[in-house]
Every structure is written in C-alpha cells, then in structure tokens.
Amino acid sequence: MHTEVVAADKDGIARAVALLQRGEIVAFPTETVYGLGAAAHDEAAVLRVFAAKGRPPINPLIVHVLDLAAAAGIVRVDDRARHLAAAFWPGPLTLVLPCRAGAPIAPAVRAGLPTVAVRAPSHPAARALLTRFGRPIAAPSANRSGALSPTRAEHVLSQLGGRIPLILEAGASEVGLESTVLDLAAPDGTVTLLRPGAITQGAIEAVVGPIAVSAGDPDQPTAPGQLLRHYAPSVPVRLGGGPCGPTEAWLGFGPGDPPPEARASLNLSVTGDLEEAARNLYHMLQALDRPDVTAIVVAPIPNTGLGAAILDRLQRAAAATTR
Ligand code: TXA
Ligand code: MG
C-alpha cells in the first residue's frame, strides 16, 4: 500500500474524512502525539488499526470526541468527569469511564473492558477532522506497538509507511508526550492515575482532591506481563547520567557540556525547561537511535511536574531494553 503524506488543510481533512467513511484508517496530528484514527463505531476499521500497529487485542483504544456532550453519548459522565473536563478539555487528559449500554463503539475499542477511555484533543487539525467526520474517532498513537510514539509526520511514515493510506501532516506535536490517563470507573470511587502526562497529578488533585497512582502498566490493563517493550528505541537506554562510552550517545538536560567521548549528543532543553524537554523527547530518542550507537545515556531529570511523565516514559524505554 502506498502511504501519502498531505498537509492537514481543508483538502487533506476532506480526504481523511472520505477514507474514515469508507472504513479506512488515517494518521492525524494531535497536541500530544500523532494518532492513528478509525471510525470508533466500525469494528472492521478498528481492527485495521490493531493490525497496522501490531497491537495486542487486549490493549484498548482512546476514543476522541469534540467535547463532553459527545463523550456523554459514549460513557456515563459523573460530576468529577464534568469538573475535570471543564478544567482540562480540550487538552491532553484522557478519562476512563463506564461505557453506556448500546453506545456506538466497536467491541475491539474496549478490548473486553466495561469502560471506554475518552479524550477531547485541542489540536485544530484533530478538531477539524472530528467536526467534519461528525462521529467519534478511535485512535492510539500512530506507532508500531511498543515503539516510540510519533511527534512528527516523518516518524509515522518511518513506522507505518506502506501499512496505512494517509498521514495528515501539521509539524511537530506541541506537548510531545501521550495524554494523562485517569481512571474514574472504579466502583469504590477511587480516582487512579494510569499514565502520567502533561496534565499533572497536582493539577488533577486541585480539581478532584487526592488520587491514587497506578503501580501497574497502563499498556496492560487486563493482562499484566505480556508486553515486553514500551515506548522504546531499538538500542538500550540508561538513565541518571554517569559515564558514556565512545560508542554511546548522550541525551542531555540543562546547561553543561556532553561527555567528550560520546559518539553523538543532543540536549532535551539547555535551559532545563521540562515542557521543551517533553516536546523534544521522542524526536531526540529517535534521532540518537542510530546503527553506530550502542546505547543512549540520559542525563538526570527532576521528578517534579512534567518531569514525572518524562521519567515514566524513559523508565519504560530503559526497562524494555534491559529485561
Ligand atoms: O495522547 C494520547 O493519548 C494519544 C493521542 C493520539 O490521543 N493516544 C494514545 O493512545 O496515546 P495509546 O493507545 O497509545 O494509549 C492509550 C492508553 C493505553 O495505555 C491504554 O491501555 C489506555 O490508554 N486505555 C485505553 N482504554 C482504556 C480503558 N478502557 N481502561 C484503561 N486504560 C485504557
Ligand atoms: Mg501508544
């Protein structure tokens, strides 16, 4: 299959909508990372997403909607969800809520769970696509399962080229990390952070009070221990700085020179700005993932605010290559 990359302008959106209506899948930009979208009500289309990514069928997809009213057609919305949506939508927060009986959601989206994850993206191209299509769009990140999420159209092309018909292009994703995923569906009322992201734990707690943090793996909600690789480049990743060998690459953070012996080096943010680091993270990991590099050594990053989400992704990348 030939993969076309087109600008996410009016014509591009129209072509993407035509494909979605025919049950095809398309990659599109969001403020977090690029997504791989399918009509959320169309089981055959959703199964194409799993096939193109090589995603295990046990891992459910996020359903993208324009707003809370559209979400309420899919899930049972409570007061906490209303308050969180009022504070953070549209934006990088995904809410896991009980699925409504008879909701127009293909079974594969939920992967057998009684819940659905919903998110209203803020990216204008994603919103134009949702508006013109007129129905919810199921979309995981547009990468091969387990690999780094794409923050640029070229990343999507290198991972999914030949497997999907169309990529809508709109430059680099502004946030650069996948959305915060919050579980609001527990019968006992506990709110649990399943995946840290740009909407931080502190920001969420300011709206709904204290929340729990999941120790488990958000990519294995139903079958822990089955997936070995997450958010990982193909070479090993080492965290916390330390010595860097002559065949290793250095990923810096903050001022200071890279180790002179490093084969290659990039800096997530010379000024130590966590937002800039999040935006650069996947692109720089991808750029340092070279045949002549045997490992990527990452400088220490503070575990505060957005740093928690950056470290979460880096720890998975490191774990994937050491276990
Ligand atoms: O920022 C994002 O969230 C991007 C853009 C495209 O919106 N999407 C994304 O999707 O990261 P994906 O599929 O790569 O990650 C979705 C996460 C997974 O960890 C999945 O297990 C979790 O959300 N998830 C989806 N539905 C769930 C559910 N019903 N219960 C618990 N976790 C769920
Ligand atoms: Mg993903």
Side-chain angles (χ1 to χ4, degrees):
M1 178 188 294
H2 175 67
T3 302
E4 245 188 296
V5 181
V6 303
D9 57 13
K10 212 167 175 226
D11 286 354
I13 301 272
R15 289 182 54 189
V17 167
L19 286 166
L20 291 175
Q21 284 167 342
R22 288 210 303 270
E24 297 291 340
I25 59 180
V26 297
F28 63 98
T30 87
E31 72 279 18
T32 56
V33 299
Y34 277 68
L36 180 59
H41 64 276
D42 183 339
E43 178 80 354
V46 170
L47 291 175
R48 284 203 171 93
V49 169
F50 281 88
K53 283 182 59 96
R55 182 171 177 116
I58 55 157
N59 197 357
L61 307 186
I62 295 174
V63 175
H64 295 68
V65 293
L66 274 174
D67 52 28
L68 189 66
I74 300 169
V75 289
R76 291 204 306 271
V77 169
D78 61 13
D79 277 346
R80 297 168 312 179
R82 265 185 281 278
H83 291 139
L84 288 163
F88 303 117
W89 278 11
L93 176 66
T94 295
L95 301 176
V96 174
L97 288 162
C99 187
R100 290 179 85 99
I105 295 298
V109 169
R110 289 199 269 150
L113 297 174
T115 54
V116 180
V118 290
R119 167 167 119 77
S122 65
H123 194 292
R127 299 193 66 74
L129 187 64
L130 284 164
T131 304
R132 298 280 296 277
F133 183 52
R135 306 192 67 154
I137 297 175
S141 49
N143 50 279
R144 292 281 292 166
S145 185
L148 295 174
S149 291
T151 54
R152 300 175 186 217
E154 72 209 54
H155 302 159
V156 181
L157 188 63
S158 75
Q159 293 198 44
L160 296 178
R163 296 175 167 266
I164 60 175
L166 187 75
I167 302 171
L168 290 178
E169 207 275 307
S173 297
E174 200 182 310
V175 175
L177 292 180
E178 307 83 353
S179 62
T180 305
V181 180
L182 199 62
D183 183 4
L184 296 174
D188 68 357
T190 313
V191 178
T192 306
L193 181 64
L194 299 180
R195 179 173 74 182
I199 308 297
T200 60
Q201 182 180 352
I204 292 164
E205 290 184 331
V207 176
V208 294
I211 64 172
V213 177
S214 165
D217 188 323
D219 281 341
Q220 308 167 25
T222 56
Q226 292 199 337
L227 303 178
L228 285 177
R229 293 170 52 78
H230 310 271
Y231 309 102
S234 62
V235 299
V237 172
R238 262 194 346 263
L239 304 186
C244 185
T247 61
E248 297 180 333
W250 175 258
L251 185 56
F253 177 79
D257 292 331
E261 60 277 23
R263 174 154 291 175
S265 74
L266 291 169
N267 195 312
L268 290 167
S269 170
V270 176
T271 60
D273 176 350
L274 289 168
E275 284 185 16
E276 183 184 20
R279 202 156 45 233
N280 284 333
L281 181 68
Y282 289 137
H283 184 61
M284 290 187 172
L285 283 173
Q286 207 125 289
L288 294 176
D289 189 359
R290 313 189 323 199
D292 62 337
V293 162
T294 57
I296 301 172
V297 185
V298 186
I301 292 171
N303 189 7
T304 54
L306 193 50
I310 296 171
L311 284 168
D312 169 77
R313 303 308 191 278
L314 282 169
Q315 274 151 7
R316 286 159 200 278
T321 48
T322 54
R323 83 187 138 185

